Amino acid sequence: MTADRLTILHVYPRQMGVSGDRGNVVALVRRAEAADIATEVVEYAPGDALPTAADVVVVGNGPLSAMRSLGADVARIGAPLRDFAASGVPVVAVGGGFDLATNEVVPTEGSPVAGFGVFDARAVRGAERRVNYFVLDTRYPLLSGASKRLAGFEDHATRIELAAGVEPFADVVSGGGNQAGSAVEGAVAGASFGTHTQGPILPLNPQLTDGVLSAATTRLGREYVADPERTATIDRYAREARATIDRYVDKAFKRIA
C-alpha cells in the first residue's frame, strides 16, 4: 500500500477472466472507495515484471487451454505469489484460477499443469460435472456479525484434493463443491481463499468482499470500516440476487453427464 492506496493485482485478466471475473475486482474497488480507501488496479500479463508489492491478488476463471498457454510463466511467478499469501496478502482465486493456484492441475488427457502452489491441494479433472446454483456456509473470517451464508453458481468437472490439514473455504449447503468425499468447497490458506463459486462471487456476497478488504488493511495497520449508507444500493442488488438463487436452488441443474 503506497501513499494510502490499496494495490489490487489482477493476474492474467485476459487468459483467466471468462466468467465476469473483473466484477470481483470492481467489487473490491467500489467497496474500498465506500470506506474512503483509494485503490490502484495493476493488471499482470504473461512476461510482465510482477510487482514486488500488492495488497490483494485476484485470479479469475479460465479453461485448461488457457492454463497450458501460460507455459513457464506460471512457474516464474508462483514463488512470489506464494510469498504474498504467506505474508498475509489475500489471494482470491476463482474457478480455473483456483485450480491454477493449487500445486497442479491433472487433466483427463496429457501432462499435468503445474500450479502456483498457493493452496496445498491438487485439481483433478474428470469428476462429475456440476452445473447449479451454489449455497455455502463459509469458513473464511468475516467481519463480526456478518452472515457466513454465501450464494453463487458453480460449473466445473473438477475434484479438489486437499492436503492434510488444509481448511476448506466453506461447507456445502447445496451444490457439488470439491467432490472429494465430503461436502466442502474450496480451500483457505491464511487470508487467501480459492473456490469454484462464480457469479461473480464478491459482488454477490458483499460480506466476503468486506472480509478480504479487512484482511488486506489489517495487515497494513489500518482498520477497515464498511459504510452501510454508502453501500446500500449495491447491498440491495446483492440481496435480491441471492434471494433469487435461494428461490430456485432446488430447480437448477444438479449434474450433467
Side-chain angles (χ1 to χ4, degrees):
M1 190 171 184
T2 304
D4 293 326
R5 189 174 298 274
L6 202 70
T7 300
I8 301 170
L9 176 60
H10 191 181
V11 176
Y12 303 143
R14 288 191 61 190
Q15 295 84 1
M16 308 295 292
V18 301
S19 300
D21 299 300
R22 288 182 188 273
N24 289 321
V25 175
V26 171
L28 289 165
V29 170
R30 298 289 175 82
R31 204 84 181 168
E33 288 176 350
D36 293 321
I37 298 172
T39 58
E40 177 186 15
V41 177
V42 177
E43 295 190 349
Y44 172 82
D48 288 353
L50 190 76
T52 58
D55 301 306
V56 182
V57 178
V58 177
V59 190
N61 188 30
L64 182 63
S65 58
M67 297 181 206
R68 291 195 185 282
S69 76
L70 297 169
D73 197 76
V74 173
R76 186 174 72 88
I77 69 170
L81 292 183
R82 291 194 297 274
D83 288 344
F84 282 151
S87 68
V89 172
V91 176
V92 177
V94 179
F98 172 35
D99 295 349
L100 195 61
T102 67
N103 297 326
E104 66 174 355
V105 183
V106 182
T108 55
E109 296 180 355
S111 301
V113 175
F116 296 131
V118 171
F119 304 102
D120 192 5
R122 67 176 193 157
V124 181
R125 296 297 179 95
E128 179 182 71
R129 185 177 176 200
R130 304 291 301 208
V131 182
N132 40 248
Y133 291 121
F134 213 8
V135 180
L136 307 167
D137 284 335
T138 187
R139 302 188 191 184
Y140 188 81
L142 304 178
L143 296 181
S144 178
S147 172
K148 293 188 175 295
R149 180 63 52 92
L150 306 179
F153 189 82
E154 67 172 339
D155 180 0
H156 68 98
T158 302
R159 183 176 72 255
I160 298 293
E161 299 176 349
L162 303 179
V166 175
E167 181 83 358
F169 169 65
D171 297 290
V172 175
V173 177
S174 180
N178 288 350
Q179 302 195 80
S182 58
V184 296
E185 161 61 15
V188 171
S192 301
F193 72 83
T195 179
H196 281 113
T197 313
Q198 300 173 35
I201 185 173
L202 295 185
L204 270 175
N205 301 280
Q207 75 275 34
L208 182 58
T209 312
D210 287 342
V212 171
L213 290 171
S214 177
T217 54
T218 298
R219 172 178 171 271
L220 300 168
R222 179 170 177 176
E223 185 180 10
Y224 172 78
V225 181
D227 187 336
E229 290 187 4
R230 295 169 67 179
T231 61
T233 299
I234 56 176
D235 287 350
R236 176 170 57 82
Y237 290 154
R239 282 195 305 272
E240 291 172 353
R242 293 196 308 272
T244 299
I245 291 173
D246 288 341
R247 191 158 55 245
Y248 293 108
V249 66
D250 292 329
K251 298 180 176 62
F253 287 113
K254 291 299 177 185
R255 58 184 58 83
I256 292 180

